[in-house]
């Protein structure tokens, strides 16, 4: 069965520091992978997605993620965090047949220190 | 205007009451979804619909029902609400590969 694990429930970084949020997935075939961000009181906004091709994908707001098949990972990175990046981040996987059904990780809450 | 709207945004109800959450979208997508979000559990799929005549159960459909009134409208009902249905509920719509989410409905069942 498909599953997604985000090992870090809560992360705190200083403004200007680099960020990496971890995501591990379990899926037998080629996965479709997504990162969403949820700001307080808001819905989920798509940051980036990976379907195939270049394993390093660029997203909005300066985020990028790297797909590593050998590690079953799709970690999200940002070189310099801004205070406005404080939010909850969700990794999700869909089957390559793309039924449209997403399986979400538990989420990682990012706190940014001034 | 938002592409995906949900009403109400907040609702407090009592155990045993019937409640309906509504979702509308202007993106013209055929696919629509209902999720619930609980702290530490992420989002879990309740029901999904690929078109007006195609409705499917998700991971946690017990205690819920849905109605797809039109391509643009997808409603979620709790026939007899119970306290463990207290959660944040999200509607989403998708083209073939990306889901777009509404702002959510915070439901409290007392």
């Amino acid at each position: 069965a498909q599953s997604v694990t985000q090992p870090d429930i809560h992360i705190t970084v200083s403004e200007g520091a680099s960020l990496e949020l971890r995501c591990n997935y379990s899926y037998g075939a080629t996965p479709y992978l997504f990162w969403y961000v949820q700001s307080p009181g808001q819905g989920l906004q798509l940051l980036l997605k990976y379907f195939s091709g270049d394993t390093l994908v660029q997203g909005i707001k300066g985020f990028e993620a790297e797909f590593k098949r050998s590690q079953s990972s799709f970690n999200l990175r940002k070189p310099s965090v801004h205070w406005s990046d404080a939010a909850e981040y969700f990794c999700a996987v869909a089957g390559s047949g793309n039924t449209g059904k997403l399986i979400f990780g538990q989420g990682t809450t990012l706190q940014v220190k001034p | 205007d938002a592409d995906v709207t949900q009403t109400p945004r907040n609702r407090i109800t009592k155990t045993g009451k019937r409640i309906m959450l509504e979702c509308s979208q202007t993106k013209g997508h055929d696919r629509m979804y209902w999720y619930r979000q609980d702290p530490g559990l992420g989002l879990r799929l309740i029901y999904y619909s690929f078109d007006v005549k195609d409705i499917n159960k998700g991971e946690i459909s017990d205690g819920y029902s849905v109605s797809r009134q039109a391509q643009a409208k997808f409603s979620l009902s709790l026939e007899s609400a119970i306290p463990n249905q207290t959660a944040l509920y999200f509607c989403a719509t998708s083209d073939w590969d990306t889901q777009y989410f509404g702002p959510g409905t915070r439901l409290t069942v007392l």
Side-chain angles (χ1 to χ4, degrees):
Chain A
Q2 300 172 53
S3 66
V4 178
T5 301
Q6 295 180 242
D8 304 305
I9 296 173
H10 192 105
I11 284 183
T12 300
V13 300
S14 298
E15 190 168 16
S18 63
L19 172 69
E20 182 169 32
L21 302 182
R22 296 183 291 165
C23 173
N24 295 100
Y25 68 90
S26 173
Y27 186 69
T30 301
Y32 288 2
L33 294 161
F34 305 81
W35 274 100
Y36 283 87
V37 60
Q38 183 183 21
S39 299
Q42 302 296 314
L44 278 72
Q45 181 182 20
L46 179 68
L47 285 175
L48 47 79
K49 59 189 178 185
Y50 172 79
F51 291 165
S52 65
D54 191 347
T55 57
L56 183 64
V57 294
Q58 302 297 318
I60 62 171
K61 303 184 179 186
F63 286 92
E64 67 178 25
E66 186 171 13
F67 171 60
K68 293 186 177 180
R69 184 185 300 276
S70 62
Q71 298 179 17
S72 298
S73 69
F74 188 57
N75 293 349
L76 182 72
R77 301 194 294 249
K78 186 170 185 178
S80 178
V81 170
H82 188 263
W83 65 267
S84 61
D85 293 323
E88 190 161 19
Y89 292 79
F90 292 95
C91 181
V93 65
S96 59
N98 195 30
T99 62
K101 294 167 60 179
L102 288 179
I103 304 296
F104 283 86
Q106 304 91 324
T108 298
T109 299
L110 173 65
Q111 182 179 0
V112 180
K113 295 189 301 184
Chain B
D1 289 339
D3 295 323
V4 184
T5 58
Q6 293 183 234
T7 56
R9 292 294 310 278
N10 290 281
R11 180 71 182 267
I12 300 174
T13 191
K14 295 182 178 180
T15 297
K17 294 292 187 181
R18 184 179 188 275
I19 185 167
M20 179 182 287
L21 309 182
E22 298 185 337
C23 175
S24 295
Q25 54 108 349
T26 59
K27 297 188 75 67
H29 296 158
D30 287 325
R31 298 181 176 187
M32 297 187 74
Y33 310 80
W34 276 105
Y35 294 88
R36 65 176 279 174
Q37 182 183 15
D38 299 278
L41 296 179
L43 278 74
R44 293 179 291 166
L45 184 63
I46 306 172
Y47 270 95
Y48 61 104
S49 171
F50 285 171
D51 65 41
V52 174
K53 296 182 180 179
D54 183 7
I55 293 177
N56 305 277
K57 293 182 177 180
E59 180 186 359
I60 53 165
S61 59
D62 288 347
Y64 301 95
S65 63
V66 291
S67 173
R68 186 81 185 268
Q69 299 95 327
Q71 184 200 41
K73 296 184 181 296
F74 192 36
S75 300
L76 176 72
S77 294
L78 287 67
E79 299 300 327
S80 179
I82 57 177
N84 75 1
Q85 291 177 314
T86 293
L88 186 56
Y89 289 84
F90 286 104
C91 175
T93 180
S94 76
D95 51 25
W96 79 274
D97 64 6
T98 301
Q99 292 192 19
Y100 302 89
F101 286 81
T105 294
R106 185 166 296 282
L107 176 65
T108 302
V109 183
L110 302 176

